[in-house]
């Protein structure tokens, strides 16, 4: 984390290895200097052949010989045939691409990447039809800052809130489990008054002991006029001992419990990257932190609830069981720079170890929204990692602005979000990667992003770039669900 602006050291951009033009071998002595294809003899002096008649003959021109006519016909046929072959190849290539890219025809949905196709009516119908049950995995979601439970209707292809009538915690736990949470973190189900919805999903309590989603039917009315607000984990609560005001004013050294979701990820006893706790078992970090040989879970130890790196050296840390990098992560562009780490033993939550909330779909973070970054990263470009946890407030920067020619010139993809001060002086830096970019909204702390990259550190017009968590939540839930 950089919080002071010293004289900027020179910054060199690594443009990678530039290959030299291929070496052209000189012909061996005595070899023919002319291509064998046409002639083995050196060309002789060109002889002049007049191409146009220089004088007018008095005799009428003789008709062209028959052989010339047949030859031009053959030529035309060859041209037409070649065009047809090219068109056929293009069509064949299109179909090969189509079936490799999207196995299923337009009206069907593919089960994961299995190649099995299902009609939409079989998705979210309570019956597992796909080989790995993918058709039943993403049928519920939490929407907006109030965690409104919504159920997907494959028939109308849209999401509906659930009417609070007859709802109880048992149903809440089932819905949380379907999203990938463990039942033991379940927090609450509450009715939230809302009259703005026109259609609801309602529980048919007389339906007997069947799947939750089979008990739900769509209805235009809801007697309680309230919808289910569901919390699957008590997330985003800062430690009670620290007031929010303390975070903004004061120095950049953090206090214990201020950023309780922040973890330090070690390799061979050294801090390498940051991460954020989202459940007792799962952490979010950056994909570039776990590239190559660092994709081995055995390389890592996780420290939570500790402020100083010195202190971690005397502790054993948590072991990592599984690392999942985003399948579309791109090393060069840093597109989809997010990864999940599953711990071998769950964290126990305390005042100083707590999860942050994953952003729900439908949450709008304002341009310029105040956010905070934290980490043990370098305090200036080229510096070493810091012993104590630092934090700094950074406003979000609109993507269009961050893509300006004089800022990042179109390098900010939809999976990225910029934050910082264009004047320079505040930023994340080497060693902060994977760590949290959070905001406080509706009295909850949300994970807006994970530290990803930047040109230099705290350089004017080169703000920090973070993975855009809102676009990753679906992928996160799917993977937590599939690796319980
Ligand atoms: N890639 C760096 C890391 O691995 C984070 C760089 C963030 N840079 C910045 N200017 N915000 O720790």
């Amino acid at each position: 984390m950089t919080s002071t602006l010293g004289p900027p050291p020179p910054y060199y951009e690594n443009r990678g290895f530039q290959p030299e033009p291929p070496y052209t071998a000189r012909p061996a002595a005595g070899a023919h200097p002319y291509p064998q294809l046409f002639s083995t003899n050196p060309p002789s002096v060109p002889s002049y052949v007049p191409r146009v008649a220089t004088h007018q003959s008095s005799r009428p021109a003789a008709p062209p010989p028959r052989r010339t006519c047949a030859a031009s016909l053959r030529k035309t046929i060859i041209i037409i045939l070649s065009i047809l072959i090219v068109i056929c190849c293009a069509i064949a290539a299109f179909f090969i691409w189509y079936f490799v890219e999207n196995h299923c025809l337009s009206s069907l949905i593919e089960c994961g990447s299995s190649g099995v196709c299902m009609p939409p009516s079989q998705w979210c119908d309570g019956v597992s039809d796909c080989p790995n049950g993918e058709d039943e995995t993403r049928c519920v979601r939490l929407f907006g800052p109030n965690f409104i439970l919504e159920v997907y209707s494959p028939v109308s292809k849209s999401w509906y809130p659930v009417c609070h009538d007859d709802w109880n915690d048992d149903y809440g736990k089932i819905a949380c489990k379907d999203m990938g949470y463990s039942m033991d973190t379940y927090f609450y189900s509450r009715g939230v008054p809302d009259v703005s919805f026109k259609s609801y999903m309602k529980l048919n309590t007389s339906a007997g002991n069947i799947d939750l989603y089979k008990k739900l039917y769509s209805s235009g009315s809801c007697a309680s006029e309230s919808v289910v607000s569901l919390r699957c984990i008590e997330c985003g609560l800062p430690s009670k001992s620290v007031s929010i005001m303390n975070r903004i004013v004061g120095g950049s050294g953090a206090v214990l419990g201020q950023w309780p979701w922040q973890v330090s990820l070690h390799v061979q006893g050294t801090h390498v990257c940051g991460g954020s706790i989202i459940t007792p078992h799962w952490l979010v970090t950056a994909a570039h932190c776990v590239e190559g040989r660092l994709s081995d879970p055995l390389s890592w130890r996780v420290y939570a609830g500790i402020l100083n790196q010195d202190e971690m050296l005397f502790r054993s840390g948590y072991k990592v069981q599984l690392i999942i990098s985003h399948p579309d992560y791109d090393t060069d562009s840093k597109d989809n720079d997010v990864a999940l780490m599953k711990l071998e033993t769950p964290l126990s939550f305390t005042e100083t170890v707590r999860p942050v909330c994953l952003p729900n779909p439908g949450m709008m973070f304002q341009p310029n929204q105040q956010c905070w970054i934290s980490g043990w990263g370098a305090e200036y470009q080229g510096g070493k990692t810091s012993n104590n946890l630092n934090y700094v407030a950074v406003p979000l920067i609109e993507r269009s602005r961050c893509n300006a020619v004089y800022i990042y010139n179109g390098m900010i993809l939809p999976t990225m979000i910029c934050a910082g001060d264009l004047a320079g002086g505040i930023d994340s830096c080497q060693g902060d990667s994977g760590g949290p970019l959070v905001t406080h909204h509706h009295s909850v702390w949300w994970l807006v992003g994970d530290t990803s990259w930047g040109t230099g550190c705290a350089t004017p017009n080169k703000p920090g770039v973070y993975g855009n968590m809102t676009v990753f939540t679906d992928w996160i839930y799917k993977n937590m669900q599939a690796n319980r």
Side-chain angles (χ1 to χ4, degrees):
M1 175 96 34
T2 310
S3 49
T4 48
L5 182 63
Y11 169 72
Y12 303 101
E13 212 158 355
N14 178 8
R15 297 203 169 263
F17 171 69
Q18 306 287 326
E20 284 191 9
Y23 173 68
T24 357
R26 270 210 266 147
H32 276 291
Y34 304 101
Q36 299 276 315
L37 198 55
F38 302 112
S39 165
T40 50
N41 302 315
S44 50
V45 178
S47 48
Y48 175 68
V49 180
R51 283 182 181 233
V52 280
T54 48
H55 62 92
Q56 190 65 50
S57 164
S58 56
R59 270 174 48 187
R66 278 188 68 86
R67 260 192 61 206
T68 321
C69 181
S72 72
L73 184 68
R74 221 177 23 234
K75 214 163 123 187
T76 317
I77 291 173
I78 288 172
I79 291 172
I80 293 174
L81 275 180
S82 331
I83 293 172
L84 281 177
I85 289 170
V86 168
I87 293 174
C88 288
C89 287
I91 294 174
F94 171 77
F95 275 100
I96 291 169
W97 167 83
Y98 186 86
F99 285 108
V100 167
E101 281 293 302
N102 356 245
H103 303 274
C104 302
L105 290 169
S106 62
S107 59
L108 301 176
I109 309 172
E110 193 186 348
C111 297
S113 52
S114 62
V116 179
C117 304
M118 280 299 153
S121 59
Q122 263 153 286
W123 288 74
C124 302
D125 63 351
V127 184
S128 189
D129 301 290
C130 286
N132 297 315
E134 293 95 337
D135 55 322
E136 300 302 313
T137 52
R138 295 296 297 130
C139 304
V140 273
R141 70 175 187 186
L142 302 176
F143 188 85
N146 290 321
F147 299 87
I148 302 301
L149 174 64
E150 292 191 334
V151 174
Y152 187 72
S153 160
V155 184
S156 55
K157 292 188 182 162
S158 48
W159 294 89
Y160 293 104
V162 176
C163 171
H164 194 247
D165 299 357
D166 303 310
W167 188 263
N168 62 39
D169 287 335
D170 293 335
Y171 296 124
K173 285 179 189 171
I174 295 172
C176 285
K177 195 171 146 249
D178 286 343
M179 270 181 277
Y181 285 101
S182 124
M183 298 261 210
D184 5 291
T185 62
Y186 178 79
F187 190 21
Y188 68 70
S189 286
R190 246 179 229 167
V192 171
D194 204 322
V195 284
S196 65
F197 295 111
K198 286 178 186 68
S199 291
Y200 303 88
M201 282 296 197
K202 266 174 92 166
L203 265 180
N204 176 4
T205 42
S206 56
N209 195 17
I210 53 162
D211 188 273
L212 169 63
Y213 306 106
K214 277 196 168 170
K215 281 187 187 170
L216 292 168
Y217 63 98
S218 62
S219 167
S221 69
C222 172
S224 62
E225 285 193 341
S226 64
V227 293
V228 177
S229 161
L230 176 66
R231 299 284 303 265
C232 296
I233 190 164
E234 190 176 8
C235 59
L237 294 180
S239 166
K240 288 165 194 75
S241 61
V242 186
S243 82
I244 293 166
M245 282 311 288
N246 270 349
R247 293 159 197 278
I248 306 162
V249 289
S252 57
V255 250
L256 208 54
Q258 196 175 12
W259 313 107
W261 40 82
Q262 171 86 57
V263 292
S264 168
L265 305 177
H266 280 212
V267 174
Q268 290 173 350
T270 353
H271 168 90
V272 172
C273 270
S276 304
I277 302 168
I278 52 166
T279 79
H281 268 113
W282 292 97
L283 312 175
V284 170
T285 187
H288 83 256
C289 290
V290 292
E291 258 183 301
R293 59 179 186 89
L294 296 181
S295 62
D296 182 1
L298 294 175
S299 309
W300 296 92
R301 286 292 180 280
V302 176
Y303 295 89
I306 306 173
L307 276 185
N308 294 312
Q309 287 294 327
D310 290 348
E311 217 182 310
M312 295 177 199
L313 301 178
F314 303 106
R315 311 277 187 91
S316 49
Y318 285 79
K319 285 186 184 158
V320 177
Q321 187 187 87
L322 179 68
I323 295 177
I324 310 167
S325 257
H326 197 290
D328 301 323
Y329 164 64
D330 185 78
T331 323
D332 301 322
S333 64
K334 296 283 170 279
D335 195 12
N336 297 296
D337 194 3
V338 69
L340 282 169
M341 268 190 186
K342 189 181 186 189
L343 300 177
E344 227 169 70
T345 50
L347 297 160
S348 22
F349 292 156
T350 62
E351 286 280 290
T352 56
V353 180
R354 286 162 190 265
V356 65
C357 294
L358 284 174
N360 296 326
M363 289 197 56
M364 301 289 251
F365 298 120
Q366 303 305 314
N368 300 317
Q369 172 136 352
Q370 189 74 288
C371 290
W372 282 262
I373 46 174
S374 48
W376 288 272
E379 287 165 344
Y380 52 92
Q381 163 74 19
K384 56 177 178 42
T385 50
S386 153
N387 181 43
N388 58 296
L389 179 63
N390 289 322
Y391 73 96
V392 72
V394 283
L396 294 186
I397 301 167
E398 246 182 304
R399 178 165 305 107
S400 57
R401 186 142 185 245
C402 204
N403 263 328
V405 183
Y406 67 98
I407 306 182
Y408 280 127
N409 193 17
M411 289 157 84
I412 309 305
L413 304 172
T415 58
M416 304 172 188
I417 196 161
C418 296
D421 188 347
L422 293 179
I426 51 158
D427 199 3
S428 46
C429 203
Q430 265 54 48
D432 287 321
S433 278
L437 167 75
V438 293
T439 195
H440 196 246
H441 183 58
H442 276 239
S443 40
V444 170
W445 286 92
W446 305 89
L447 187 63
V448 178
D450 65 300
T451 305
S452 179
W453 62 277
T455 298
C457 295
T459 313
N461 290 324
K462 296 287 176 258
V465 186
Y466 301 81
N468 184 1
M469 212 46 63
T470 321
V471 304
F472 301 142
T473 48
D474 233 32
W475 175 80
I476 293 174
Y477 285 130
K478 202 172 80 192
N479 281 279
M480 288 192 342
Q481 226 267 359
N483 297 284
R484 275 188 290 169

